[in-house]
Amino acid sequence: MNPNLYGFMAEFEQPEELLNAARAAFKAGYRKMDAYSPFPVEGVAEALGFEHTRVPLVVLIGGITGGAVAYGMQYFSAVWDYPLNIGGRPLHSWPSFIPITFELTVLFAAFAAVFGMLLMNGLPKPYHPVFNVPKFKLASQTRFFLCLRATDAQFGEKAKRFLESLKPIAVHEVEL
């Protein structure tokens, strides 16, 4: 086997073919695979074996952090740093802290969602081995690709034969 081989990639014309190929590959025991398409294909993530994501947890932690920072900042400034008796209200007047606390909770949660998603997806990724396949530029236009990685325990020459048995347009070798 070529040590510079990233994997084999099958090219399909229809999204249903990609979905069926991903299901067949998972059923055959392949676990390290990726799908590429010009638009989201419903069911492909589950067919590839993705069950859950940690983005909601990251968003929750970001929101809690934002709320705590906002409330703590207001409490510190109103009670400790610069206490003012305005209209006889108590220094720790929590109802007046709610709007800013809400806004920073939403802001921190939104930033956590964006940056958490980017980091968990490994983005930005200016280079990936699949970019070496000349036809891969069609993945953002009209074609659907399923890539079986060489790091999979099932990988070998049988992987190429397996992809060919799915009747794709072509099977490409992906070099590192």
Side-chain angles (χ1 to χ4, degrees):
M1 191 58 51
N2 182 357
N4 290 331
L5 188 65
Y6 177 77
F8 293 117
M9 189 161 51
E11 177 183 353
F12 298 98
E13 205 164 52
Q14 298 297 319
E16 297 82 20
E17 294 172 334
L18 173 65
L19 182 58
N20 293 335
R23 287 180 179 151
F26 191 84
K27 189 175 180 182
Y30 294 99
R31 296 295 180 262
K32 296 189 178 187
M33 56 184 164
D34 295 309
Y36 304 95
S37 67
F39 55 83
V41 178
E42 187 155 344
V44 169
E46 292 80 12
L48 292 174
F50 294 122
E51 295 176 358
H52 68 283
T53 176
R54 292 195 174 138
V55 173
L57 178 62
V58 170
V59 172
L60 175 66
I61 291 169
I64 290 171
T65 302
V69 165
Y71 197 88
M73 181 178 59
Q74 291 175 93
Y75 180 83
F76 175 76
S77 67
V79 176
W80 293 99
D81 193 37
Y82 198 67
L84 291 176
N85 185 355
I86 300 173
R89 72 171 174 85
L91 296 177
H92 181 215
S93 179
W94 66 268
S96 65
F97 297 172
I98 289 175
I100 300 299
T101 302
F102 173 76
E103 293 297 331
L104 275 182
T105 299
V106 172
L107 180 69
F108 276 51
F111 279 133
V114 170
F115 292 118
M117 183 270 309
L118 288 174
L119 289 173
M120 286 182 218
N121 287 330
L123 297 174
K125 191 175 283 193
Y127 171 77
H128 194 280
V130 296
F131 299 159
N132 295 332
V133 176
K135 289 251 187 153
F136 187 72
K137 64 183 176 191
L138 295 174
S140 63
Q141 299 168 10
T142 59
R143 294 287 195 262
F144 303 86
F145 293 90
L146 178 68
C147 182
L148 300 179
R149 288 183 269 164
T151 55
D152 196 306
Q154 298 268 11
F155 194 81
E157 277 302 317
K158 66 178 184 173
K160 186 172 186 177
R161 287 193 302 275
F162 171 76
L163 287 175
E164 289 169 346
S165 74
L166 299 173
K167 306 208 183 337
I169 295 171
V171 175
H172 308 281
E173 277 192 13
V174 181
E175 298 282 332
L176 286 174

